[in-house]
Amino acid sequence: MNRKTLDKLAVFGGKPAFLQPLHVGTPNIGDKQRLFERLEDILNRRILTNRGPMVQEFEQRIAELVGVRHCIAMSNGTVALEIATRAIGFKGEVIAPSMTFVATAHALQWQQITPVFCDIKPGGHHLDPARIKELVTPRTTGVLPVNLWGRPCDIDAILSVADSYELPVVFDSAHAFGCSYKGKMIGSFGRAEIFSFHATKFINSFEGGAVVTNDDDLAETVRLMQNFGFEGRDRVGHVGINGKMTEIEAAMGLTSLESMDQFVEHNQQNYHCYKEGLKRIPGVELVEYDERERCNYQYIVVEIDERITSVSCNEMLEVLSAENIDARRYFFPGCHRMEPYRSYFPNAGILLGNTENLLGRVLALPTGTAITIEDVHKITGLISLLSESGRAVGMRLRARSSRSNRLAKEVLADA
Ligand SMILES: Cc1ncc(COP(=O)(O)O)c(C=O)c1O
């Protein structure tokens, strides 16, 4: 790329490729008219929460779609994790990945349970079943793997290791609603699984989540704990919390579910377009979906090899951001490098070599029903341009940042 072409990049003063920012996780919105009708029903009925008919219908639909006996709708995925793990009796230490959104770890720490971070598989993004045994201690009470990016972790192997230590497993499937593993829907594995229906998720209920399980006793305990522990009108049997989903959230959830097939189709088309556009770009590797399974295609994740691209992940982010492409470094820098975990386990990184190696190289790119095929073409076109001229772009960015550092030092010296 010559200097003139470089000048066209927004980061060097050119016009941004997009007028409005393109975010990762812009909500998928279903049929607005159906939502308005449901809102009308809710207001006319004057049942706004406390497991009204909308929540019951939502729970039933989710249980049917996943193929489980119980779904307990929740106010969000974090509370779903807290309640599921508490109801099973997790305490002491629980083995979980650091390569996840911090809510996975927080849901444990919130209950004074120590998350013991386990590395991911070499070359993968998911918990390595082979590393679980070295972390089991007499205080270990469970395993909390994550079906990150809607891609299943090594479910069978994890269940088998956990089983050999008689450890219950709860899967954090916040990203994985609508996805399958070996032909069976995610949500039906382990003692329980949780989903998130946050606005950024494939199916959203504004905020929301669910615990899904085939365990009747567990389902009952979860339901009680979610409603302050009330067993009857004036009878409380557990420490409980308010984890209830509202009717309006369930109305949004049901409306989203009705458009699920269109969401998948749109996301899948975007994914194929990204795949085609990125396939010949050296140093930018798309994390692929296994299309023999059911996938929600909600996450477009790329690994950047900066030895080949000559621009770092951060520099790529800076260039894309100037173009109004709000790519994200999910989930940088890893839970073990965030507080309070960083202070609790300052040396955790030593055991998390694969996690550390991956976290600096991952970018999530915008997709979802708000992102069109034309948008994807533009994004991949820019990434391609960037990779062709990585050296020149990198040098110019670095020269600019050392110039501004020098200037800042001069201003400080003059002050
Ligand atoms: C892996 C993971 N677990 C848990 C959560 C928590 O879900 P929520 O935002 O619904 O509380 C999220 C949310 O993004 C997540 O990404």
Side-chain angles (χ1 to χ4, degrees):
M1 207 194 281
N2 60 32
R3 195 191 160 87
K4 251 189 166 156
T5 325
L6 273 195
D7 283 344
K8 286 196 179 138
L9 288 174
V11 77
F12 300 129
K15 209 165 111 242
F18 296 95
L19 290 177
Q20 300 293 330
L22 262 56
H23 297 290
V24 172
T26 300
N28 295 328
I29 307 285
D31 181 343
K32 289 185 198 162
Q33 204 46 47
R34 272 302 285 141
L35 178 64
F36 297 150
E37 285 161 17
R38 288 191 162 107
L39 295 189
E40 185 83 33
D41 283 354
I42 291 171
L43 297 177
N44 290 342
R45 230 182 345 252
R46 291 178 189 261
I47 300 177
L48 307 185
T49 186
N50 287 4
R51 202 161 182 247
M54 289 284 171
V55 166
Q56 288 182 41
E57 192 185 338
F58 184 62
E59 289 179 338
Q60 199 184 332
R61 288 286 296 127
I62 298 287
E64 277 164 15
L65 284 161
V66 174
V68 286
R69 278 211 295 282
H70 306 280
C71 167
I72 302 101
M74 294 277 173
S75 49
N76 58 63
T78 310
V79 167
L81 270 176
E82 286 168 8
I83 296 183
T85 51
R86 189 181 183 99
I88 292 174
F90 280 20
K91 49 184 189 297
E93 295 173 0
V94 166
I95 297 167
S98 171
M99 177 70 201
T100 179
F101 182 55
V102 73
T104 314
H106 280 352
L108 298 168
Q109 192 62 52
W110 189 258
Q111 309 174 68
Q112 315 300 323
I113 300 169
T114 305
V116 175
F117 297 121
C118 182
D119 207 3
I120 51 176
K121 282 170 102 167
H125 291 214
H126 295 90
L127 194 77
D128 185 351
R131 301 292 298 276
I132 292 178
K133 5 183 186 337
E134 65 203 54
L135 302 174
V136 176
T137 73
R139 281 170 48 76
T140 312
T141 58
V143 185
L144 179 50
V146 180
N147 288 315
L148 198 73
W149 321 130
R151 276 88 161 177
C153 56
D154 205 341
I155 293 179
D156 281 346
I158 291 172
L159 285 173
S160 152
V161 185
D163 208 36
S164 67
Y165 291 96
E166 295 182 7
L167 294 171
V169 180
V170 173
F171 289 95
D172 178 342
S173 301
H175 301 176
F177 181 72
C179 306
S180 68
Y181 170 74
K182 296 189 178 171
K184 204 172 156 210
M185 293 310 281
I186 290 182
S188 54
F189 297 94
R191 280 292 292 286
E193 300 205 35
I194 74 95
F195 294 124
S196 166
F197 300 117
H198 178 256
T200 53
K201 299 299 187 293
F202 164 60
I203 291 294
N204 87 83
S205 58
F206 301 124
E207 287 270 1
V211 175
V212 280
T213 180
N214 279 314
D215 182 325
D216 300 344
D217 295 336
L218 178 64
E220 197 186 326
T221 312
V222 166
R223 207 175 272 297
L224 294 174
M225 283 186 168
Q226 177 213 38
N227 186 26
F228 311 100
F230 273 109
E231 287 177 342
R233 188 158 257 199
D234 302 314
R235 215 175 55 247
V236 169
H238 287 279
V239 174
I241 194 167
N242 183 354
K244 298 188 295 299
M245 178 179 271
T246 64
E247 287 289 274
I248 201 167
E249 287 166 335
M252 181 64 172
L254 281 167
T255 309
S256 300
L257 284 177
E258 283 164 359
S259 296
M260 185 163 153
D261 292 345
Q262 287 106 283
F263 294 167
V264 174
E265 200 183 320
H266 190 108
N267 281 352
Q268 189 178 17
Q269 278 169 6
N270 280 357
Y271 167 69
H272 286 153
C273 187
Y274 267 116
K275 195 168 162 184
E276 191 53 38
L278 296 174
K279 83 176 172 203
R280 270 180 280 275
I281 305 185
V284 179
E285 199 179 323
L286 180 70
V287 180
E288 295 194 10
Y289 284 92
D290 177 353
E291 300 208 55
R292 293 164 304 178
E293 299 286 353
R294 288 187 60 173
C295 308
N296 62 26
Y297 301 94
Q298 182 73 5
Y299 295 89
I300 300 293
V301 179
V302 291
E303 288 179 26
I304 309 295
D305 186 341
E306 87 174 69
R307 291 166 307 185
I308 300 174
T309 55
S310 303
V311 277
S312 67
C313 222
N314 257 344
E315 288 165 342
M316 202 168 274
L317 212 60
E318 190 182 343
V319 173
L320 294 178
S321 167
E323 304 291 347
N324 267 330
I325 303 163
D326 185 21
R328 300 291 302 275
R329 297 189 78 180
Y330 282 167
F331 286 107
F332 189 78
C335 298
H336 68 289
R337 286 185 178 269
M338 295 177 180
E339 290 297 352
Y341 315 106
R342 191 174 59 169
S343 299
Y344 292 164
F345 318 109
N347 299 321
I350 295 170
L351 290 176
L352 300 171
N354 297 327
T355 306
E356 295 239 306
N357 175 37
L358 180 70
L359 273 162
R361 304 192 290 114
V362 172
L363 279 188
L365 298 172
T367 190
T369 53
I371 307 295
T372 64
I373 291 285
E374 292 69 42
D375 296 336
V376 177
H377 280 306
K378 260 190 184 173
I379 296 170
T380 55
L382 262 160
I383 295 177
S384 169
L385 211 69
L386 198 55
S387 107
E388 277 164 28
S389 1
R391 264 175 72 81
V393 173
M395 274 162 56
R396 202 157 151 182
L397 284 173
R398 272 161 249 148
R400 194 174 69 173
S401 98
S402 59
R403 231 183 357 256
S404 55
N405 281 347
R406 222 179 21 246
L407 261 173
K409 275 193 196 134
E410 281 167 16
V411 169
L412 278 176
D414 286 348

